[in-house]
């Protein structure tokens, strides 16, 4: 009897627990999940509204910037055009004066005898003095379209962000193993460069290979258009990223073979906590609060611009303008740990 009573009590407790469990589940199904569903609908609607509002604001800012820049371009065009017209009028008048003076002098030489020529000497001097006051044309900035009229921090950042957001360039970039410094090793996918202080046993006579400095080139150059690639650099505190001509020196320990220390390479450099842009041995310091984990490299071949960008902070690290005269290779150097090309 006692055992039976204990069993009954356990069953009752079990039933009560089941009842409570069922009630909790029923409340979850009847109240919590519908409320969650409603919350999701509300949050999704707010998220859509936020996306629309922000993109509308960005679109409005872009429209305003477009209008402002187009007006500046038009004003610059009109100003230069007016300067050219003014110069055309001025120099056309000068040509007429010189032609008239030359005709006068030819007539004097042809028709006057010596005595008449002496008598007319003062008049000749006065008329030829006019020619001495006409200077030869000089180059003037007023006669050239000033490209800086379209400089815009907003457009610059949006352009860089848009190019990197639609990035396809890295998929076409692979590091050329033939160019690899003996201090570097390359992963199987040809995307990660790893530094070693000990030189590997490689063919140093290979003409494509950098035999001293820890450099490497991409397999193929860019000839035109806008090109972009991203590199993960967070593991390294000594690297260089940028572009170079295929003629960049590859042999020897002289400064000429160091990226950024010759006229054939343009690189963004990190050494410990020091960041710089290097070209032709002329470093330009880049002040950064935080070391970037990734760096985007953008090359606008036709526009003549090389730009380094931090995708995480949407910050332009450095921008350089150059009229590139040869095909351009992506180039890399690493002297600590490793860096990797990103897809």
């Amino acid at each position: 009897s006692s055992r039976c009573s204990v069993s009954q009590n356990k069953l009752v407790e079990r039933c009560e627990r089941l009842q409570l469990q069922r009630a909790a589940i029923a409340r979850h199904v009847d109240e919590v999940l519908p409320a969650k569903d409603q919350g999701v609908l509300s949050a999704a609607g707010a998220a859509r509204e936020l996306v629309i509002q922000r993109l509308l604001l960005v679109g409005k800012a872009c429209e305003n910037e477009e209008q402002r820049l187009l007006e500046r371009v038009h004003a610059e065009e009109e100003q230069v055009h007016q300067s050219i017209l003014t110069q055309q009028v001025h120099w056309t008048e000068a040509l007429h004066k010189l032609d008239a003076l030359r005709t006068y002098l030819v007539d004097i030489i042809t028709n006057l005898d010596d005595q008449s020529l002496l008598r007319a000497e003062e008049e000749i001097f006065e008329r030829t003095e006019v020619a001495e006051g006409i200077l030869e044309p000089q180059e003037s900035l007023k006669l050239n379209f000033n490209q800086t009229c379209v400089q815009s921090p907003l457009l610059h950042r949006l352009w860089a962000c848009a190019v990197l957001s639609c990035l396809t360039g890295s998929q076409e970039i692979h590091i050329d193993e033939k160019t690899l410094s003996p201090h570097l090793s390359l992963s199987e996918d040809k995307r990660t460069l790893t530094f070693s202080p000990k030189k590997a046993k490689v063919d140093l006579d290979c003409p494509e290979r950098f035999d001293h400095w820890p450099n490497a080139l991409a397999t193929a150059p860019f000839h035109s258009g806008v090109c972009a690639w991203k590199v993960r650099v967070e593991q390294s505190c000594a690297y260089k990223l940028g572009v170079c001509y295929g003629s960049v020196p590859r042999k020897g320990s002289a400064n000429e073979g160091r990226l950024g220390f010759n006229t054939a390479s343009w690189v963004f450099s990190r050494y410990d906590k020091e960041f710089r842009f290097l070209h032709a041995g002329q470093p330009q310091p880049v002040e950064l609060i935080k070391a970037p984990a990734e760096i985007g490299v953008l090359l606008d071949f036709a526009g003549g611009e090389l730009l380094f960008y931090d995708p995480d902070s949407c910050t332009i690290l450095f921008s350089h303008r150059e009229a590139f005269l040869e095909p351009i290779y992506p180039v890399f150097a690493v002297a600590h740990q490793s860096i990797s090309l990103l897809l």
Side-chain angles (χ1 to χ4, degrees):
S1 174
S2 175
R3 288 176 61 188
C4 182
S5 177
V6 170
S7 295
Q8 285 180 341
N9 289 337
K10 285 183 178 180
L11 288 173
V12 169
E13 288 177 5
R14 182 63 176 165
C15 285
E16 288 176 350
R17 285 201 302 271
L18 289 173
Q19 185 65 25
L20 290 172
Q21 188 178 8
R22 184 190 181 285
I25 292 173
R27 183 165 55 82
H28 187 75
V29 170
D30 296 338
E31 299 175 16
V32 176
L33 290 180
K36 288 283 187 184
D37 194 42
Q38 189 60 43
V40 168
L41 290 173
S42 177
R48 291 188 187 94
E49 187 64 28
L50 180 64
V51 169
I52 292 170
Q53 286 180 355
R54 289 187 175 181
L55 286 175
L56 283 174
L57 183 61
V58 171
K60 186 64 176 176
C62 288
E63 288 178 5
N64 292 341
E65 190 70 351
E66 177 187 20
Q67 185 64 32
R68 185 182 74 85
L69 291 174
L70 290 178
E71 287 175 359
R72 287 188 63 183
V73 169
H74 179 70
E76 176 68 15
E77 180 185 30
E78 287 292 306
Q79 184 176 327
V80 176
H81 181 63
Q82 190 58 48
S83 296
I84 291 172
L85 288 178
T86 301
Q87 291 257 330
Q88 283 178 332
V89 170
H90 172 77
W91 292 112
T92 299
E93 290 178 356
L95 284 174
H96 289 327
K97 289 179 181 178
L98 292 175
D99 287 343
L101 179 58
R102 184 176 180 279
T103 301
Y104 166 74
L105 291 175
V106 169
D107 185 60
I108 289 289
I109 294 169
T110 304
N111 298 317
L112 293 187
D113 56 29
D114 290 345
Q115 289 186 345
S116 300
L117 191 62
L118 289 173
R119 286 196 298 269
E121 186 175 11
E122 186 175 348
E123 179 188 351
I124 294 170
F125 175 78
E126 288 177 357
R127 296 193 59 169
T128 55
E129 201 173 22
V130 174
E132 294 176 4
I134 300 175
L135 303 177
E136 290 190 9
Q138 301 292 323
E139 177 60 40
S140 170
L141 293 177
K142 292 181 179 180
L143 303 179
N144 299 305
F145 186 85
N146 184 5
Q147 294 288 347
T148 62
C149 70
V150 294
Q151 286 184 353
S152 161
L154 174 62
L155 179 59
H156 218 193
R157 281 187 170 85
L158 287 175
W159 172 75
C161 187
V163 170
L164 285 169
S165 296
C166 304
L167 187 59
T168 57
S170 284
Q171 296 173 9
E172 302 167 7
I173 295 176
H174 292 276
I175 296 167
D176 187 353
E177 201 160 4
K178 295 193 300 295
T179 69
L180 218 61
S181 158
H183 285 291
L184 299 180
S185 60
L186 186 61
S187 60
E188 288 187 12
D189 63 3
K190 298 191 183 335
R191 294 191 178 279
T192 298
L193 282 170
T194 302
F195 174 78
S196 172
K198 185 178 179 180
K199 285 188 175 183
K201 293 180 180 180
V202 293
D203 179 13
L204 295 178
D205 293 329
C206 175
E208 294 96 338
R209 189 180 305 280
F210 292 95
D211 66 357
H212 179 81
W213 298 105
N215 307 338
L217 256 65
T219 53
F222 293 110
H223 302 80
S224 61
V226 177
C227 320
W229 55 98
K230 285 195 289 189
V231 185
R232 180 163 290 279
V233 295
E234 63 182 345
Q235 292 185 1
S236 179
C237 63
Y239 59 80
K240 292 176 182 177
L241 310 172
V243 299
C244 70
Y245 292 146
S247 58
V248 66
R250 314 206 183 181
K251 304 300 181 184
S253 59
N255 263 356
E256 268 299 295
R258 296 174 68 187
L259 296 181
F261 284 80
N262 50 61
T263 57
S265 59
W266 299 258
V267 292
F268 180 88
S269 162
R270 178 185 180 181
Y271 184 75
D272 196 17
K273 296 181 180 180
E274 183 179 62
F275 297 88
R276 300 183 297 175
F277 173 77
L278 297 169
H279 173 61
Q282 298 178 347
Q284 298 183 54
V286 178
E287 299 296 333
L288 297 181
I289 297 173
K290 180 184 176 183
E294 296 177 11
I295 295 178
V297 185
L298 280 74
L299 172 65
D300 183 353
F301 205 96
E305 182 174 13
L306 176 66
L307 184 148
F308 300 93
Y309 189 80
D310 181 356
D312 290 337
S313 63
C314 299
T315 302
I316 294 174
L317 304 174
F318 195 84
S319 178
H320 175 76
R321 291 196 169 274
E322 184 85 24
F324 297 109
L325 305 175
E326 301 175 26
I328 286 289
Y329 287 82
V331 69
F332 314 87
V334 56
H336 172 255
Q337 299 286 5
S338 64
I339 60 174
S340 299
L341 268 169
L342 296 175
L343 285 172

